[in-house]
Amino acid sequence: MTAMPQISEAEFEVMKVVWKHSPISTNEITERLTQTTVWSPKTIQTLIKRLVTKGALSYEKQSRVFVYTPLVQESEYIDQESNSFLKRFYDGNITAMLSAYIENDRLSEDDIDSLRALLSKKSKKGGK
């Protein structure tokens, strides 16, 4: 497996749009991001170019329009980032992470109920 590119928080916002709407043109990306950010179209184009350079996006020119598709799958990127966070801050121990979140009231009752449901569902499937 090739190394996952390092994606900044701003670049991640661009990737979320591309993952959700791919294939998507420069103008469509810009239109969506100017609705949710204070970025100028030039800033957005710079972020897109960086993602192409990093190997996170590919593009195809269709007449006079550039259309982008992701080269990095959203689930793989999020999995890598989650694992990196877990290793960096909790030595890879998910129980320690959840304990810290619970002890510091960072999980609501709804969050805890959702986790219970996920764990129950996993155990019924005969999870790892």
Side-chain angles (χ1 to χ4, degrees):
M1 179 174 123
T2 59
M4 196 75 62
Q6 291 290 324
I7 297 174
S8 71
E9 287 185 42
E11 293 164 346
F12 183 66
E13 292 303 313
V14 174
M15 289 301 296
K16 289 193 297 190
V17 170
V18 176
W19 283 321
K20 187 172 184 178
H21 303 285
S22 173
I24 185 170
S25 71
T26 308
N27 289 343
E28 292 170 310
I29 295 169
T30 302
E31 182 181 318
R32 291 181 185 281
L33 286 171
T34 54
Q35 292 174 9
T36 59
T37 68
V38 296
W39 300 336
S40 72
K42 187 84 173 147
T43 298
I44 295 166
Q45 290 174 7
T46 298
L47 292 169
I48 292 169
K49 286 178 189 171
R50 284 186 196 162
L51 288 164
V52 169
T53 301
K54 290 179 177 187
L57 292 179
S58 69
Y59 67 91
E60 180 179 296
K61 191 169 184 181
Q62 296 178 356
S63 63
R64 295 172 10 134
V65 176
F66 287 94
V67 177
Y68 296 88
T69 55
L71 293 174
V72 173
Q73 295 303 311
E74 182 177 20
S75 59
E76 290 175 8
Y77 181 76
I78 290 173
D79 187 49
Q80 175 204 286
E81 289 300 302
S82 298
N83 287 335
S84 176
F85 174 83
L86 189 60
K87 287 177 187 167
R88 183 174 176 195
F89 294 102
Y90 297 98
D91 294 324
N93 185 334
I94 195 161
T95 303
M97 182 188 80
L98 288 171
S99 294
Y101 273 71
I102 292 167
E103 289 170 14
N104 293 307
D105 293 324
R106 290 189 180 140
L107 294 178
S108 68
E109 285 301 319
D110 287 343
D111 292 334
I112 293 168
D113 290 342
S114 294
L115 285 169
R116 278 192 189 110
L118 284 169
L119 292 169
S120 175
K121 184 173 151 183
K122 183 72 173 176
S123 67
K124 286 179 185 171
K125 283 185 176 178
K128 297 182 194 178

